[in-house]
């Protein structure tokens, strides 16, 4: 029987990001997918204007109902968290589920390219540390890893020793296994990682396509998790996710309106 996964992430009305990007990919990979929106967002933030509804009060009412009905999941994947209060609720639920055998994946969405996203505050960073502390696997980008571990961001990148130190900083917060995406290591853009099961560190270089689409991190996350839940190793799953993102960006690099993300339904065969 296929493993069941719960996505705890925001839902955009216009644009293929977060839940709207992950759900079709994981479904295409044959996994039963359930979702709990952390916020309803009018459109991807790249348009500059947006409306957002924090769903914390809704979530507070959902967990007792699910508990009463006996709903369980093989895996939980968390993304955008709307507030400290919401982070506490979700972290407590994830910890409770982890004790019964559920695998917890945490994407600590906060920023990129050295900067925090609009509306992300020091309180958000503390909230994300709470989430990382309950993760079997967390996969921040380089910017997020720096904020989570209180490490200065360096535009030119890091050396191998500094990359390992960042990974270990995330492990000290509580994450079991770790990936850091979009990190330049000794001049080469890479994904670096640590796999707890084999106690090994690794670095996977990749070629960048100089085009920006919102939602590519969510695509990476979905393909990564889909392969892990099909019992592939962390290193193999990471490479497959990297390759899928490359193919999808390459196939859509000439799209006129990139702010809406990649129109995944037309390109699932590339996953």
């Amino acid at each position: 029987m296929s493993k069941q996964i719960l996505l705890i992430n925001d839902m955009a009305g216009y644009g293929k990001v977060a839940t709207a990007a992950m759900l079709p990919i994981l479904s295409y990979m044959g996994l039963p997918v359930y979702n709990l929106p952390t916020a309803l967002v009018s459109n991807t933030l790249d348009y500059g204007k947006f409306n957002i509804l924090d769903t914390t009060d809704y979530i507070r009412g959902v967990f007792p109902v699910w508990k009463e009905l006996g709903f369980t999941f093989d895996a939980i994947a968390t993304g955008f968290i709307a507030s400290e209060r919401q982070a506490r609720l979700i972290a407590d639920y994830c910890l409770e589920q982890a004790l019964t055998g559920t695998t917890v994946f945490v994407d600590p969405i906060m920023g990129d390219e050295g900067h925090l996203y609009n509306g992300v505050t020091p309180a958000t960073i503390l909230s994300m540390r709470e989430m990382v502390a309950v993760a079997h696997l967390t996969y921040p980008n380089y910017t997020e890893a720096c904020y989570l571990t209180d490490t200065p961001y360096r535009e030119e990148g890091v050396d191998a020793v500094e990359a390992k130190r960042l990974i270990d900083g995330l492990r000290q917060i509580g994450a079991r296994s770790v990936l850091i995406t979009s990190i330049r290591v000794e001049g080469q853009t890479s994904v670096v990682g640590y796999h707890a099961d084999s106690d090994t560190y690794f670095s996977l270089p990749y070629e960048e396509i100089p085009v920006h689409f919102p939602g590519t991190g969510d695509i990476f996350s979905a393909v990564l998790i889909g392969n892990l839940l099909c019992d592939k190793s962390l290193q193999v799953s990471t490479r497959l996710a990297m390759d899928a993102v490359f193919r999808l960006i390459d196939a859509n690099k000439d799209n006129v309106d990139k702010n809406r993300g990649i129109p995944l339904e037309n390109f699932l065969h590339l996953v």
Side-chain angles (χ1 to χ4, degrees):
M1 186 177 160
S2 296
K3 291 177 179 172
Q4 303 192 101
I5 181 164
L6 170 66
L7 302 181
I8 303 181
N9 208 337
D10 65 295
M11 175 61 89
Y14 190 92
K16 292 295 173 187
V17 298
T19 303
M22 294 181 72
L23 204 154
I25 291 172
L26 287 161
S27 296
Y28 180 78
M29 294 177 82
L31 296 161
V33 190
Y34 305 86
N35 73 89
L36 183 65
T38 55
L40 302 179
V41 190
S42 57
N43 45 268
T44 63
L45 308 189
D46 299 69
Y47 286 104
K49 287 185 177 178
F50 57 91
N51 187 40
I52 185 166
L53 174 69
D54 178 331
T55 59
T56 302
D57 291 335
Y58 163 72
I59 290 171
R60 186 181 292 284
V62 167
F63 290 146
V65 173
W66 282 0
K67 198 169 187 177
E68 196 178 321
L69 293 169
F71 293 164
T72 59
F73 307 95
D74 297 291
I76 298 172
T78 73
F80 175 76
I81 304 289
S83 65
E84 282 180 276
R85 194 162 65 98
Q86 191 179 90
R88 205 150 297 123
L89 265 178
I90 293 168
D92 287 348
Y93 178 74
C94 287
L95 190 56
E96 192 179 278
Q97 295 302 302
L99 292 173
T100 67
T102 301
T103 304
V104 179
F105 301 101
V106 173
D107 184 358
I109 298 166
M110 295 189 296
D112 202 2
E113 296 175 350
H115 306 288
L116 295 172
Y117 296 134
N118 286 339
V120 174
T121 65
T124 312
I125 299 167
L126 292 176
S127 299
M128 281 305 184
R129 283 187 187 137
E130 282 191 54
M131 293 305 308
V132 168
V134 300
H136 292 92
L137 172 65
T138 189
Y139 35 94
N141 60 34
Y142 173 47
T143 298
E144 292 156 348
C146 287
Y147 277 102
L148 287 164
T149 58
D150 211 10
T151 303
Y153 175 90
R154 290 171 50 190
E155 206 164 315
E156 71 277 14
V158 298
D159 61 27
V161 173
E162 291 165 318
K164 182 176 181 292
R165 196 178 296 135
L166 263 180
I167 289 171
D168 288 341
L170 292 161
R171 291 174 62 206
Q172 280 166 14
I173 294 170
R176 194 162 178 275
S177 294
V178 172
L179 296 175
I180 301 174
T181 65
S182 309
I183 183 168
R184 189 171 282 276
V185 182
E186 296 178 359
Q188 175 66 61
T189 312
S190 307
V191 175
V192 297
Y194 169 80
H195 192 200
D197 289 352
S198 56
D199 189 27
T200 53
Y201 294 84
F202 59 89
S203 181
L204 301 171
Y206 66 93
E207 182 190 340
E208 278 185 297
I209 300 173
V211 173
H212 172 72
F213 281 99
T216 51
D218 304 302
I219 293 168
F220 173 86
S221 178
V223 179
L224 170 73
I225 291 168
N227 281 291
L228 287 169
L229 293 181
C230 292
D231 298 320
K232 292 189 173 74
S233 74
L234 179 58
Q235 196 162 336
V236 168
S237 298
T238 302
R239 175 51 78 187
L240 289 169
M242 292 162 70
D243 292 347
V245 171
F246 184 91
R247 287 193 297 271
L248 285 163
I249 293 174
D250 191 49
N252 288 275
K253 61 180 183 246
D254 297 324
N255 292 10
V256 176
D257 183 4
K258 295 181 177 63
N259 289 337
R260 71 174 69 172
I262 291 171
L264 287 163
E265 288 80 358
N266 300 321
F267 294 95
L268 288 170
H269 62 283
L270 297 179
V271 167

